[in-house]
């Protein structure tokens, strides 16, 4: 049979352990806490990650379901989402071109600009699209979409993005001093996922090669 002293000691230990566990669960006791969590739902100003609704930091833009984000809890129990963790270099996707277009390389096609490829990157807190490379175009090839199929919605801009791009130089018959004067054309990256060449037939010689190297535009 335990003595009164031993029973009191055991009770004190039990109370101590109970208080410790309560403190471990209470942010007001343990202070701020952060961890990583997977985003399962996205709202206007919040994300839900591992069942916790978190207010997004202003710098955490364009969240996506599946993001691995850093979430933190303040001492009063409020949760915030600090932002997504880097998934490393997103890598380039080599485009599949439409009929009449041949991927560039570094020796004979696309003015040696390399193959046309694209990627989506985060820049200044938002998603941007980047393009690289060039292609050779057969005379008479359609210009409504240089790709074999439209880009998926993830890679489409919110509004048309138009650029002046390089092409093979040509002259204009009947116009004085126009030798090799045409050396560019317009390229539209449309909201439907197509990439269109505009005025590809301008000049005495149609566009036989063009380059998308260095093009970048926001996706929102």
């Amino acid at each position: 049979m335990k003595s009164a002293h031993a029973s009191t000691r055991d009770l004190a230990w039990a109370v101590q352990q109970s208080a410790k566990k309560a403190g471990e669960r209470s942010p007001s006791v343990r202070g701020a806490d952060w961890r990583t969590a997977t985003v399962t739902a996205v709202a206007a100003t919040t994300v839900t990650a591992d069942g916790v609704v978190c207010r997004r930091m202003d710098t955490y833009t364009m969240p996506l379901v599946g993001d691995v984000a850093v979430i933190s809890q303040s001492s009063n129990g409020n949760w915030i989402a600090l932002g997504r963790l880097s998934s490393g270099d997103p890598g380039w996707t080599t485009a599949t071109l439409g009929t009449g277009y041949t991927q560039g390389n570094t020796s004979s096609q696309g003015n040696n600009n390399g193959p046309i490829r694209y990627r989506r990157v985060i820049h200044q807190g938002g998603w941007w699209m980047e393009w690289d490379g060039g292609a050779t175009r057969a005379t008479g090839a359609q210009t409504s979409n240089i790709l074999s199929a439209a880009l998926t919605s993830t890679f489409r801009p919110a509004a048309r993005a138009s650029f002046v791009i390089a092409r093979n130089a040509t002259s204009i018959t009947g116009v004085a001093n126009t030798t090799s004067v045409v050396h560019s054309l317009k390229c539209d990256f449309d909201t439907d996922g197509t990439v269109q060449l505009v005025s590809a037939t301008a000049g005495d010689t149609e566009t036989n090669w063009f380059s998308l190297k260095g093009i970048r535009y926001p996706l929102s």
Side-chain angles (χ1 to χ4, degrees):
M1 184 174 182
K2 289 187 178 180
S3 66
H5 176 73
S7 296
T8 301
R9 183 179 59 195
D10 290 347
L11 177 61
W13 181 87
V15 171
Q16 183 185 42
Q17 292 304 305
S18 178
K20 180 181 178 182
K21 290 180 179 179
E24 290 173 347
R25 293 191 297 266
S26 174
S28 62
V29 175
R30 72 172 187 269
D33 180 30
W34 73 270
R35 63 187 175 92
T36 60
T38 301
V39 174
T40 55
V42 175
T45 59
T46 63
V47 295
T48 301
D50 289 1
V52 180
V53 178
C54 310
R55 183 70 178 265
R56 288 189 289 114
M57 294 286 288
D58 185 57
T59 53
Y60 185 10
T61 59
M62 301 185 70
L64 297 172
V65 171
D67 283 351
V68 177
V70 175
I71 62 176
S72 180
Q73 188 180 36
S74 67
S75 59
N76 65 1
N78 292 325
W79 285 89
I80 59 172
L82 301 175
R84 67 174 60 83
L85 294 179
S86 172
S87 58
D89 187 341
W92 292 93
T93 297
T94 300
T96 301
L97 304 183
T99 302
Y101 293 87
T102 303
Q103 279 284 18
N105 54 32
T106 57
S107 60
S108 60
Q109 301 290 342
N111 198 41
N112 303 343
N113 274 237
I116 289 180
R117 53 187 188 163
Y118 59 88
R119 66 180 178 182
R120 195 177 67 138
V121 297
I122 294 177
H123 177 64
Q124 295 183 340
W127 287 108
W128 288 62
M129 187 71 158
E130 291 184 344
W131 291 84
D132 186 40
T136 297
R137 174 181 175 272
T139 299
Q142 58 83 26
T143 58
S144 58
N145 189 14
I146 68 169
L147 307 175
S148 63
L151 295 168
T152 60
S153 58
T154 304
F155 298 98
R156 299 179 184 182
R160 173 182 290 171
S162 299
F163 292 86
V164 175
I165 62 173
R167 56 155 285 179
N168 52 291
T170 186
S171 56
I172 303 175
T173 298
V175 180
N177 302 316
T178 62
T179 302
S180 299
V181 71
V182 178
H183 47 69
S184 61
L185 74 157
K186 186 163 80 86
C187 184
D188 286 337
F189 299 85
D190 279 312
T191 57
D192 62 359
T194 59
V195 180
Q196 180 179 5
L197 301 181
V198 180
S199 299
T201 60
D204 292 345
T205 303
E206 291 189 20
T207 297
N208 295 141
W209 68 260
F210 60 92
S211 175
L212 302 184
K213 187 177 288 290
I215 288 178
R216 171 190 275 192
Y217 51 84
L219 291 174
S220 62

